Amino acid sequence: MRISAARRAENENLIRAAMDRLLRGEIPPGGKCDIKTLAREAGVDRTAFYGSRPYAHLRIEFERRLQALQQASEIPDPREAQITRLKAEITKLKERLVQSERAVNELTDFHTQALSRVAVQGEEIVHLRESAARASRVSRLPAPRTTVIGTCS
């Protein structure tokens, strides 16, 4: 079905207005910043944006403007922006997890080494006490006196 030139110009104005709203980030509920939502918002058939159809040049313009915004790190679709932000956060959290696991492994190794050293030192103390008890030239010191002479006041 053919449309009049006036109707086509009106549809192009509606499409351009919808395009501007989408690229400003005014995404309707359940929509995205894409051709399907653009067609729905403008009230035209989505197939009119493809091939040699009347609004194919507007699809190309929309995609070019959307790509330019994305390259400038401005994402008009809040869901896409949220997805991008969450992916970056996941990457950061994975890096932190790797660092935490590395720190835990290092501390576990240090703990194991410290326990080994304490065990070796304990064995050395026992060995030295036994050798001191066997040696005849080591004399024992008298036990400290426990009686108190006078008052301490």
Side-chain angles (χ1 to χ4, degrees):
M1 176 170 133
R2 294 196 98 35
I3 59 173
S4 67
R7 180 67 187 154
R8 183 174 173 174
E10 184 181 328
N11 283 348
E12 284 191 17
N13 289 336
L14 290 172
I15 293 169
R16 287 186 194 282
M19 187 185 312
D20 291 337
R21 283 194 309 274
L22 290 176
L23 293 175
R24 276 195 312 265
E26 299 174 20
I27 311 295
K32 296 180 182 179
C33 193
D34 61 358
I35 296 296
K36 182 178 178 181
T37 306
L38 176 63
R40 189 176 64 223
E41 286 295 298
V44 296
D45 186 27
R46 181 170 46 127
T47 59
F49 288 100
Y50 297 98
S52 61
R53 301 286 172 97
Y55 308 121
H57 68 283
L58 292 174
R59 176 184 54 86
I60 293 169
E61 179 184 339
F62 177 72
E63 290 172 348
R64 182 186 48 77
R65 288 176 61 188
L66 180 61
Q67 188 178 29
L69 284 173
Q70 289 172 342
Q71 287 175 348
S73 297
E74 296 179 26
I75 302 173
D77 189 346
R79 291 183 323 152
E80 290 296 324
Q82 182 180 24
I83 289 170
T84 303
R85 181 182 53 79
L86 290 174
K87 283 182 179 179
E89 189 175 335
I90 286 171
T91 302
K92 257 196 283 187
L93 289 172
K94 283 181 179 179
E95 290 172 2
R96 284 183 55 194
L97 179 62
V98 167
Q99 290 174 351
S100 296
E101 287 175 347
R102 190 177 304 126
V104 166
N105 289 338
E106 289 173 4
L107 291 172
T108 302
D109 290 344
F110 177 77
H111 181 259
T112 303
Q113 289 176 359
L115 286 177
S116 297
R117 289 177 183 158
V118 167
V120 168
Q121 288 172 350
E123 289 175 9
E124 182 68 19
I125 289 171
V126 168
H127 172 71
L128 290 173
R129 284 184 179 160
E130 288 174 356
S131 65
R134 279 183 278 154
S136 61
R137 46 178 213 238
V138 176
S139 58
R140 296 271 177 207
L141 294 175
R145 293 190 298 176
T146 56
T147 58
V148 177
I149 301 173
T151 60
C152 295
S153 54

